[in-house]
């Protein structure tokens, strides 16, 4: 019998690296070159340079494991740099954990944005999205593998190749880092922290935390960084890779805010969440001195915290690596100008998939303001009132109606045309019956085919839902009138849908970002031939955006 090969580790997985001699001497040139290599760990030289510069653009793209201390850090760690011979670089926290390293208490790896979009293998990206959504909390690796079309052995192999850790290690690391953040930043009881991290046994939680962090949970609470908060309220820090145009995201969401459910001001987003009889609320604002958003959560069940954090990160696209996106767009003169105008623009997603799908149908062939008016009427008629203390505290008193309530509702009574009301009832029935899902990890084409099978939902609506409900970065509504106008050459009013789709192929896999940039591009820049050199281009915000 032959020898069985040892399992692969992150160190065994090698990627082709640039020759150090070929690296440009200018720091920004080096950083840009590294970020164009998706699904690869940057070379050691580039990692060392990013570490020396404390470059937030690399936060979450690699971690620094120090053999002499047994800990791993972020590239922005304020600690004194260790000796080079003691350093190993890992592509993510799970790979460092699998190698036996503990998270740093100073730079706190739990604050790093994730980099799942960097993974080239689609099945791995889908599985990572499902793990983040809790697929391994109660499910098995076999079930996860089946959902992405692989066997459990195949899934483990591709995870080791592209992630450097097994699916279970990824899940365990996520739980550990969330628990560490809650212990550090909140006054939640340890039992509630255990529940939030997915542990039903306090003994198992204590053992897992001590194994992963080298200290019991109570030791974190004794650190000076541990925070206190008003009873029933907690505040969490959510990191991102700069730049982030938070005011522009707020303006986008403000135009579409549903009265009674959400409220958007110049510097924050607020929303009431949960069921009508057990309301919670969230408030999101920017940190003043760090590349972070601050998430306040009120009156939430601890078990709901991971889902709340996940939804807020997706809503504000906090895990995006804009340098990789911009590198793809760099050769397109029109998009290059758009990036110069709004370098921190991201894809704003929705809190709830069904809510966004309803809004998309309501908005067919009418303005954003008109769709918002219809959404308000719909919520007033069929949204359940909230009367509990949490709703009163935040001043938002409605719950968006469930699909079961809308499937037979007389929607024409709020001013909807008969055909659009029928489309909404059909959409609601499909979601209620499980024929249409907004679960993460779906392939774009599969979702579009499923959505367009419903009466009244075309390719534009399906792609828009995929972009803002499923956060699929390659979604592209080629039938959008504004996109066709922005991309038309001088002398032509608009491109055809086919020509618009063909033009977008060079922007894959980040076409959703191109959509947002083109929506926010002043019309006169696009119409003057995309030269940007005449000095006469003004500024305006498009109605479509």
């Amino acid at each position: 019998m032959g020898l069985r090969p040892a399992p692969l580790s992150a160190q065994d997985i090698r990627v082709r690296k640039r020759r150090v001699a070929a690296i440009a001497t200018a720091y920004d040139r080096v950083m840009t070159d590294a970020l164009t290599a998706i699904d690869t760990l940057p070379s050691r030289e580039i990692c060392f340079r990013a570490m020396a510069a404390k470059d937030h653009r690399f936060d979450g793209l690699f971690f620094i494991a120090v053999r002499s201390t047994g800990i791993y850090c972020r590239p922005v760690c304020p600690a004194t740099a260790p000796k080079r011979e003691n350093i190993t670089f890992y592509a993510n926290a799970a790979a460092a954990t699998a190698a036996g390293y503990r998270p740093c208490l100073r730079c706190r790896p739990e604050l790093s944005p994730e980099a799942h979009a960097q993974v080239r293998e689609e099945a791995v990206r889908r599985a990572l999205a499902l793990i983040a959504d809790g697929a391994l909390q109660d499910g098995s690796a076999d079930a996860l593998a089946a959902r992405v079309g692989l066997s459990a052995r195949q899934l483990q192999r591709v995870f080791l190749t592209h992630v450097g850790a097994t699916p279970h290690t990824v899940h365990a690391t996520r739980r550990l880092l969330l628990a560490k953040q809650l212990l550090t930043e909140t006054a939640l009881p340890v039992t509630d922290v255990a529940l939030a991290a997915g542990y039903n046994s306090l003994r198992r939680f204590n053992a897992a935390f001590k194994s992963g962090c080298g200290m019991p949970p109570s030791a974190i609470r004794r650190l000076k960084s541990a925070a206190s908060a008003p009873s029933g309220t907690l505040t969490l820090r959510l990191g991102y890779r700069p730049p982030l145009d938070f005011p522009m995201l707020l303006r986008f969401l403000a135009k579409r805010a549903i009265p009674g459910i959400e409220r958007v001001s110049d510097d924050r987003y607020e929303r009431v969440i949960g069921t009508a009889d057990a309301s919670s609320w969230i408030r999101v604002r920017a940190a003043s001195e760090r590349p972070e958003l601050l998430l306040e959560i009120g009156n939430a069940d601890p078990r709901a915290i991971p889902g709340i954090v996940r939804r807020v990160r997706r809503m504000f696209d906090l895990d995006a690596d804009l340098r990789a996106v911009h590198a793809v767009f760099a050769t397109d003169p029109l998009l290059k100008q758009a990036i110069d105008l709004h370098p921190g623009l991201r894809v704003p997603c929705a809190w709830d998939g069904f809510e966004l799908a309803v809004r998309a149908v309501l908005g067919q062939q009418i303005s954003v303001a008109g769709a918002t008016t219809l959404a308000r009427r719909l919520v007033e008629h069929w949204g359940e009132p909230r009367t509990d203390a949490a709703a009163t505290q935040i001043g938002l008193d409605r719950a968006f109606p469930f699909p079961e309530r809308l499937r037979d509702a007389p929607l024409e009574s709020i001013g909807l045309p008969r055909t659009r009301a029928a489309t909404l009832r059909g959409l609601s029935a499909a979601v209620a019956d499980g024929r249409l899902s907004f679960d993460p990890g779906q392939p774009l084409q599969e979702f579009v085919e499923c959505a367009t099978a419903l009466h009244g939902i075309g390719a534009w609506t399906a792609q828009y839902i995929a972009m803002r409900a499923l956060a699929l970065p390659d979604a592209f509504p080629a039938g959008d009138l504004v996109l066709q106008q922005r991309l038309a050459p001088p002398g032509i009013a608009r491109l055809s849908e086919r020509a618009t789709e063909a033009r977008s192929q060079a922007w894959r896999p980040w076409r959703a970002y191109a959509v947002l940039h083109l929506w926010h591009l002043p019309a006169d820049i696009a119409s003057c031939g995309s030269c940007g050199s005449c000095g006469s281009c003004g500024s305006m915000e498009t109605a479509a955006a």
Side-chain angles (χ1 to χ4, degrees):
M1 181 180 295
L3 292 175
R4 185 175 181 179
L8 289 174
S9 67
Q11 296 100 315
D12 297 320
I13 301 166
R14 299 296 183 217
V15 296
R16 188 173 62 187
K17 301 183 174 81
R18 298 174 182 267
R19 293 171 58 104
V20 173
I23 297 175
T25 56
Y27 176 76
D28 283 339
R29 174 69 180 275
V30 174
M31 300 299 110
T32 300
D33 289 346
L35 285 160
T36 60
I38 298 174
D39 199 29
T40 63
L41 182 68
S43 72
R44 284 180 62 84
E45 185 62 26
I46 290 174
C47 288
F48 280 124
R49 292 187 183 213
M51 183 177 73
K54 313 292 184 189
D55 194 335
H56 280 278
R57 296 175 300 174
F58 273 74
D59 194 9
L61 298 183
F62 71 89
F63 290 86
I64 305 149
V66 185
R67 285 188 290 272
S68 57
T69 62
I71 65 170
Y72 69 92
C73 303
R74 301 160 67 191
V76 296
C77 186
T80 303
K83 295 180 179 179
R84 286 196 171 203
E85 58 267 27
N86 290 332
I87 289 177
T88 303
F89 294 113
Y90 291 93
N92 51 72
T97 299
Y101 291 94
R102 307 184 307 276
C104 177
L105 296 177
R106 291 192 65 182
C107 66
R108 301 182 52 205
E110 65 268 22
L111 298 178
S112 289
E114 295 182 344
H116 293 168
Q118 302 291 72
V119 178
R120 280 203 188 103
E121 179 62 43
E122 183 185 19
V124 177
R125 289 199 309 271
R126 292 172 57 196
L128 286 168
L130 290 167
I131 291 171
D133 202 49
L136 290 181
Q137 181 60 43
D138 300 310
S140 66
D142 288 345
L144 174 64
R147 292 180 69 176
V148 298
L150 299 175
S151 69
R153 177 176 289 185
Q154 287 174 321
L155 184 66
Q156 178 137 324
R157 184 170 64 248
V158 295
F159 256 70
L160 285 171
T161 300
H162 293 277
V163 181
T166 66
H168 276 297
T169 300
V170 172
H171 174 59
T173 303
R174 293 182 64 89
R175 297 167 79 186
L176 173 72
L177 293 179
L178 174 64
K180 184 172 176 291
Q181 181 174 17
L182 292 173
L183 289 166
T184 304
E185 298 179 8
T186 78
L188 278 177
V190 174
T191 51
D192 286 349
V193 172
L195 285 174
Y199 290 92
N200 294 321
S201 164
L202 186 59
R203 180 183 59 82
R204 288 182 56 207
F205 169 67
N206 286 332
F209 193 90
K210 187 171 183 180
S211 174
C213 287
M215 62 177 66
S218 58
I220 296 288
R221 281 286 159 82
R222 290 195 291 268
L223 297 176
K224 292 182 179 180
S225 58
S228 60
S231 177
T233 303
L234 55 91
T235 302
L236 297 177
R237 296 163 57 186
L238 307 181
Y240 60 83
R241 284 176 285 269
L244 170 72
D245 196 334
F246 187 58
M248 179 164 279
L249 286 173
L250 291 178
R251 289 196 296 271
F252 186 99
L253 295 172
K255 288 184 177 182
R256 295 154 179 82
I258 303 176
I261 293 179
E262 52 190 346
R263 180 168 55 233
V264 187
S265 64
D266 291 340
D267 64 348
R268 66 189 60 197
Y269 173 88
E270 298 173 303
R271 182 185 180 95
V272 65
I273 59 177
T275 60
D277 58 350
S279 301
S280 306
W281 57 265
I282 61 169
R283 180 181 294 123
V284 183
R285 53 191 172 86
S288 58
E289 298 179 353
R290 298 181 297 266
E292 296 171 355
L293 297 186
L294 300 179
L295 167 63
E296 296 178 59
I297 306 174
N299 199 46
D301 184 323
R303 291 166 293 189
I305 292 174
I308 293 172
V309 172
R310 182 174 65 252
R311 288 186 185 219
V312 171
R313 293 198 67 88
R314 181 186 63 196
M315 223 179 147
F316 293 95
D317 199 15
L318 297 185
D319 294 319
D321 178 14
L322 292 188
R323 299 288 291 189
V325 176
H326 296 172
V328 172
F329 295 167
T331 57
D332 189 295
L334 192 60
L335 287 180
K336 187 175 184 301
Q337 286 185 86
I339 292 168
D340 290 342
L341 286 172
H342 303 296
L345 184 60
R346 304 192 180 206
V347 180
C349 292
W351 175 263
D352 178 76
F354 175 65
E355 180 182 314
L356 186 280
V358 170
R359 284 296 310 266
V361 173
L362 290 175
Q364 290 175 345
Q365 300 179 344
I366 63 173
S367 67
V368 171
T372 300
T373 298
L374 290 174
R376 175 181 55 78
R377 294 175 185 170
L378 183 142
V379 169
E380 288 175 350
H381 281 71
W382 293 283
E384 197 170 349
R386 299 176 184 269
T387 57
D388 53 13
T392 302
Q393 181 183 4
I394 195 71
L396 298 168
D397 60 358
R398 288 282 172 170
F400 196 84
F402 289 109
E404 292 81 3
R405 189 155 192 190
L406 296 182
R407 66 184 303 166
D408 297 314
L411 299 169
E412 294 86 350
S413 63
I414 63 171
L416 275 181
R418 184 167 50 191
T419 54
R420 201 171 307 157
T423 297
L424 266 186
R425 285 190 288 266
L427 169 68
S428 302
V431 175
D433 297 341
R435 290 180 283 118
L436 182 68
S437 166
F438 305 104
D439 291 342
Q442 298 184 60
L444 174 60
Q445 191 57 37
E446 183 178 301
F447 174 81
V448 170
E449 290 174 358
C450 188
T452 53
L454 302 177
H455 176 73
I457 295 185
W460 182 95
T461 304
Q463 292 279 352
Y464 181 80
I465 295 171
M467 182 174 72
R468 294 203 55 224
L470 276 67
L472 294 178
D474 202 36
F476 188 80
D480 185 85
L481 174 62
V482 174
L483 295 183
Q484 294 172 358
Q485 292 173 336
R486 292 291 184 271
L487 294 174
I492 298 178
R494 55 187 285 196
L495 292 182
S496 67
E497 184 171 346
R498 177 177 295 182
T500 303
E501 177 72 25
R503 174 76 182 274
S504 74
Q505 296 306 302
W507 307 330
R508 289 190 152 181
W510 311 112
R511 295 189 299 173
Y513 293 88
V515 171
L516 267 294
H517 275 292
L518 292 170
W519 278 352
H520 287 85
L521 186 68
D524 44 8
I525 288 183
S527 63
C528 74
S530 308
C531 66
S533 60
C534 63
S536 63
C537 297
S539 176
M540 58 176 281
E541 188 167 316
T542 70

